[in-house]
C-alpha cells in the first residue's frame, strides 16, 4: 500500500499501525473488539482510511473472539489437499458459494460448519472419496 496515491488529493499514502476498537453486532448482543490495524494516511492532506487489509484483520478478530477458524485457516485446510474450491466442495458436500464466502471473509461460518472443517482438517479426504 506504501506509495499509493491519496483518493482526495493524489498525495502519497503512508501506513501507521494503530490499536482500533470496533463494535461487532447490534443491540444488547453487540461486543467491542480491539485489534491492531494498518491505518492509511495521506502525507499531504492527512486523509485517513482503512482498506481491505484492515477489514481482513477485523474479520479474523471476530472469528478468533468466537473461537472459529479464520478465512486464511479455512483456505489452508482446502489447500492442504491441493484442491480447488469446486473439488473440495464436491468431496466434502460443502456448498461452493458458502466456502467462497468463508474463505473471502464475506461471511462467518456457523459453529457446526466450523467443527466440520476442523474434522476435515484432521482427516484424509481420500478416505471419504473412496
Amino acid at each position: 500500500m506504501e506509495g499509493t496515491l491519496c483518493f482526495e488529493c493524489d498525495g502519497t499514502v503512508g501506513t501507521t499501525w494503530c490499536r482500533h476498537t470496533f463494535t461487532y453486532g447490534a443491540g444488547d448482543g453487540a461486543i467491542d473488539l480491539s485489534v491492531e490495524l494498518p491505518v492509511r494516511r495521506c502525507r499531504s492532506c492527512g486523509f485517513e482510511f482503512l482498506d481491505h487489509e484492515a477489514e481482513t484483520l477485523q474479520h479474523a478478530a471476530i472469528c478468533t473472539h468466537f473461537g472459529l477458524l479464520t478465512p486464511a485457516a479455512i483456505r489452508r485446510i482446502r489447500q492442504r489437499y491441493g484442491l480447488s474450491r469446486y473439488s473440495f466442495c464436491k468431496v466434502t458436500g460443502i456448498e461452493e458459494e458458502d466456502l467462497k464466502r468463508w474463505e473471502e471473509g464475506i461471511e462467518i461460518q456457523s459453529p457446526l460448519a466450523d467443527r466440520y472443517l476442523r474434522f476435515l482438517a484432521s482427516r484424509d479426504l481420500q478416505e471419504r472419496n473412496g
Side-chain angles (χ1 to χ4, degrees), residues 61-125:
I62 295 165
C63 292
T64 300
H65 173 78
F66 289 110
L68 300 172
L69 294 166
T70 64
I74 294 170
R75 195 169 27 261
R76 281 192 303 272
I77 291 168
R78 175 179 57 80
Q79 290 172 341
R80 173 181 155 220
Y81 297 107
L83 296 173
S84 67
R85 282 185 186 146
Y86 173 81
S87 297
F88 185 81
C89 290
K90 188 171 181 166
V91 171
T92 63
I94 294 172
E95 292 292 327
E96 191 172 359
E97 279 302 308
D98 290 336
L99 183 63
K100 179 181 178 187
R101 287 191 296 267
W102 301 338
E103 284 189 353
E104 293 180 1
I106 296 167
E107 185 177 290
I108 297 173
Q109 69 279 10
S110 70
L112 179 61
D114 193 81
R115 283 192 299 274
Y116 182 47
L117 288 164
R118 289 173 192 271
F119 173 77
L120 292 172
S122 70
R123 311 305 295 169
D124 179 358
L125 289 184

Side-chain angles (χ1 to χ4, degrees), residues 2-76:
E2 292 298 319
T4 298
L5 296 180
C6 174
F7 304 117
E8 297 290 315
C9 75
D10 288 334
T12 304
V13 172
T15 301
T16 304
W17 286 83
C18 300
R19 174 112 341 242
H20 179 73
T21 300
F22 65 99
T23 302
Y24 176 75
D28 292 339
I31 56 171
D32 287 333
L33 297 172
S34 188
V35 65
E36 196 79 15
L37 297 179
V39 177
R40 312 304 182 184
R41 185 175 194 273
C42 176
R43 293 182 175 111
S44 299
C45 72
F47 176 70
E48 289 185 346
F49 63 96
L50 299 176
D51 62 7
H52 180 70
E53 183 179 1
E55 291 175 2
T56 298
L57 292 168
Q58 285 179 318
H59 186 91
I62 295 165
C63 292
T64 300
H65 173 78
F66 289 110
L68 300 172
L69 294 166
T70 64
I74 294 170
R75 195 169 27 261
R76 281 192 303 272

